[in-house]
Amino acid sequence: TESKYHRRGGNLKTKSTGLGSPVTESPLTAVLPASATVKKRVVLSSESRKELAEQAKVTKEERRAQIDGRHKYLISRLADGIGLSEQQVEEAIISDDKFQLIEQFFVPSGLKKLLFFYQDVMQQNSNASLRSDASTNSLPQKKLFITMGSTENFTGICAFFLRTSDEIITASNVCREVNFGMLDCPNGNTLQGLEFFLTQIMIPALKSQQNWGAVKEGLKNSQIQDFLYAVDKFVGILSSSRQNIEDKIQLTKVDIDIYVSNLQNPSDYITAG
């Protein structure tokens, strides 16, 4: 039999199971289908989507208005190095949620480095972007983005800008105060990328440099020669380490059952050992 009890001020419903004490049943559970309690999808309304799009557009236009000669210098170096158009680089920068790091790089005594990764990232497709389970509908796509270098895995190209002093970066001195470089690490092979960068770019540039500041006689100076020797030695160690890692021992899976199937007592195990 089923009995209903009503409490003043509420709609608590109890259901007798015929096995003893009644079981409390939530009114919400009684209304919602069972499938709704297992998996929920949050779908943004058209008004919410429109509002978010408008906010993003306003933010991008505000950032576009801030772009000056300093930004254009960074954009041109990135476009040349990575192989994108300047328009593509600019769009990526003003759409980036770490855009403020660029300004922190320009200010006096600001960030010493500014990093950009260009690599495959998981992008939601347009049909799944509005659902809470959209992660199952993602595809890898090339993307240029600003990074601190400590949160994202590095699997592609790293373009970096380095300051040479603590002076404020202006449109007139950016080409003198900021150095640009790139590391290309296919499939995340950082050692290979670093070895290529040193052997093909840095060491040839150092060995052809005549002006070493306060150091006299440039490449003839014993200190400079010791430094270049140390760099060459480091690259040799780096290359050897990379080759050792790439040629690491591959262990083969062994079917151990054929070895232990005939072991019956402790003496058999001792003999086998």
Side-chain angles (χ1 to χ4, degrees):
T1 62
E2 182 178 348
S3 60
K4 298 180 181 179
Y5 300 88
H6 297 278
R7 186 176 60 186
R8 181 175 299 174
N11 292 320
L12 181 64
K13 177 181 178 182
T14 60
K15 181 177 180 181
S16 175
T17 61
L19 298 176
S21 60
V23 177
T24 302
E25 180 179 297
S26 168
L28 182 60
T29 304
V31 173
L32 292 176
S35 60
T37 62
V38 176
K39 183 178 182 180
K40 294 188 297 182
R41 291 182 176 179
V42 179
V43 180
L44 295 176
S45 66
S46 59
E47 292 79 6
S48 298
R49 295 199 302 269
K50 184 177 180 180
E51 182 179 355
L52 291 175
E54 287 296 330
Q55 291 176 354
K57 182 179 179 180
V58 170
T59 299
K60 288 171 60 176
E61 292 308 315
E62 290 176 347
R63 292 173 176 176
R64 199 187 306 275
Q66 298 176 31
I67 291 179
D68 55 26
R70 301 170 301 175
H71 300 81
K72 291 185 181 297
Y73 176 81
L74 304 186
I75 291 171
S76 63
R77 297 285 79 77
L78 289 169
D80 290 341
I82 296 176
L84 298 174
S85 69
E86 293 188 5
Q87 291 75 18
Q88 288 175 309
V89 174
E90 178 179 314
E91 191 67 22
I93 288 177
I94 64 175
S95 302
D96 201 297
D97 58 1
K98 294 185 178 66
F99 179 82
Q100 72 279 0
L101 292 181
I102 299 178
E103 184 59 31
Q104 295 176 25
F105 180 73
F106 290 151
V107 298
S109 302
L111 295 176
K112 298 301 182 183
K113 66 180 183 298
L114 184 63
L115 304 180
F116 293 82
F117 284 178
Y118 181 61
Q119 60 192 28
D120 286 333
V121 298
M122 300 306 293
Q123 298 279 356
Q124 297 175 355
N125 62 40
S126 57
N127 293 329
S129 61
L130 302 178
R131 299 201 301 265
S132 60
D133 61 339
S135 59
T136 60
N137 295 275
S138 298
L139 298 172
Q141 296 180 10
K142 289 284 188 182
K143 182 181 180 182
L144 175 67
F145 58 94
I146 307 170
T147 177
M148 292 297 292
S150 57
T151 54
E152 297 88 1
N153 292 329
F154 177 33
T155 60
I157 296 175
C158 173
F160 56 87
F161 296 92
L162 305 177
R163 295 172 57 115
T164 59
S165 73
D166 289 332
E167 293 184 16
I168 183 174
I169 304 300
T170 66
S172 60
N173 71 7
V174 62
C175 59
R176 299 191 309 271
E177 297 294 333
V178 175
N179 291 328
F180 172 70
M182 290 178 54
L183 276 177
D184 188 359
C185 300
N187 301 317
N189 194 331
T190 308
L191 292 182
Q192 178 181 335
L194 181 58
E195 181 183 345
F196 179 86
F197 176 73
L198 292 174
T199 58
Q200 301 299 318
I201 300 174
M202 290 302 300
I203 291 180
L206 290 172
K207 290 184 176 181
S208 65
Q209 182 168 313
Q210 298 299 322
N211 182 13
W212 289 82
V215 179
K216 304 300 182 181
E217 297 184 340
L219 296 176
K220 297 181 180 180
N221 184 278
S222 60
Q223 292 178 325
I224 299 300
Q225 293 176 356
D226 290 343
F227 168 71
L228 293 176
Y229 172 78
V231 175
D232 281 330
K233 185 177 180 180
F234 171 75
V235 172
I237 296 174
L238 178 65
S239 178
S240 177
S241 300
R242 178 184 59 80
Q243 293 177 17
N244 289 337
I245 292 175
E246 293 177 351
D247 298 334
K248 61 181 179 292
I249 298 174
Q250 300 291 332
L251 299 180
T252 303
K253 184 178 180 180
V254 178
D255 186 2
I256 197 172
D257 291 341
I258 63 176
Y259 296 100
V260 301
S261 59
N262 296 324
L263 301 180
Q264 304 295 330
N265 51 59
S267 62
D268 292 337
Y269 285 93
I270 296 174
T271 303

